[in-house]
Amino acid sequence: MKQEIEKMGLKADGTSDETRIDDGWKTIREIITTTAEETIGTTCRPKRNDWFDDECRIVTEEKNKVHLKLLQRRSTRSLTEQYRNKRREEKYIHRKKKRKFENDRLLEIELCREHKETKTLYKFVNNERKSFKPKV
C-alpha cells in the first residue's frame, strides 16, 4: 500500500508538493478501497425482502413517476386521483406478494414439522420469532 501511495506522487506521510490536501485524501481513500477490494473482495448485501420482485419494483416506479408529476405540476384532481390509484395498486400488489411469501414460508415450516425435521423447524421458527420486533 505504501508503494501505491508513492506511485500516486504522494509522500509516505500523505502530503504532496503539487496537490492539495483534499486531493491527497481522495487518492489515499481510493487506494485503500481498491486494495481492500483486491485482498478481501466485496460482498453483496443480503436481500431483505424476498417477496419484493420485478413486478413490485415496476409498480413502485410507476407510482413514483406519477408522484413526481404531482409535485412538479400544479396538483389537479385528475393527477391526484391518478396518484391515489397507482398507490392503491402498489399497496395491493405488495400485500398480495408478501402474504403469498408468508404463506409459503408457513407451509415450509409445517412440512418440516410433518417430516419431523426438528432442527430445520426450530431454525425457521426462531428466525421468524427474532425478526419480529413490536413497536414501542
Side-chain angles (χ1 to χ4, degrees), residues 9-39:
L10 300 173
K11 294 181 182 177
D13 62 346
T15 61
S16 173
D17 297 332
E18 61 272 341
T19 59
R20 296 186 354 225
I21 294 173
D22 292 338
D23 294 333
W25 282 112
K26 286 179 186 176
T27 54
I28 289 172
R29 185 181 66 197
E30 289 174 9
I31 291 169
I32 290 172
T33 54
T34 54
T35 308
E37 286 175 357
E38 289 172 2
T39 56

Side-chain angles (χ1 to χ4, degrees), residues 4-127:
E4 290 185 33
I5 292 173
E6 290 172 355
K7 281 183 195 174
M8 299 296 280
L10 300 173
K11 294 181 182 177
D13 62 346
T15 61
S16 173
D17 297 332
E18 61 272 341
T19 59
R20 296 186 354 225
I21 294 173
D22 292 338
D23 294 333
W25 282 112
K26 286 179 186 176
T27 54
I28 289 172
R29 185 181 66 197
E30 289 174 9
I31 291 169
I32 290 172
T33 54
T34 54
T35 308
E37 286 175 357
E38 289 172 2
T39 56
I40 300 171
T42 57
T43 58
C44 296
R45 290 183 180 171
K47 200 172 178 183
R48 217 175 98 192
N49 296 327
D50 294 330
W51 54 268
F52 196 89
D53 59 357
D54 289 335
E55 183 182 6
C56 295
R57 184 185 51 78
I58 290 169
V59 171
T60 303
E61 286 175 358
E62 289 175 0
K63 188 246 337 171
N64 289 341
K65 286 177 186 175
V66 174
H67 187 250
L68 278 176
K69 280 185 194 175
L70 186 66
L71 291 176
Q72 290 172 354
R73 298 181 187 158
R74 196 170 166 195
S75 61
T76 61
R77 287 183 196 167
S78 64
L79 269 178
T80 308
E81 190 62 34
Q82 189 179 11
Y83 172 69
R84 284 183 185 154
N85 288 336
K86 289 290 182 181
R87 187 170 170 198
R88 193 176 301 126
E89 180 184 354
E90 177 197 31
K91 286 185 178 257
Y92 172 74
I93 289 175
H94 286 184
R95 255 187 266 124
K96 184 175 74 170
K97 294 280 184 172
K98 189 172 183 179
R99 193 174 295 136
K100 183 182 181 319
F101 173 75
E102 288 174 349
N103 285 337
D104 291 344
R105 196 79 184 255
L106 289 173
L107 285 174
E108 197 172 343
I109 291 171
E110 186 65 28
L111 283 174
C112 287
R113 188 191 65 80
E114 287 176 1
H115 294 294
K116 298 188 190 237
E117 297 173 5
T118 54
K119 188 174 182 178
T120 5
L121 172 72
Y122 281 106
K123 182 179 169 185
F124 280 124
V125 170
N126 286 331
N127 189 20

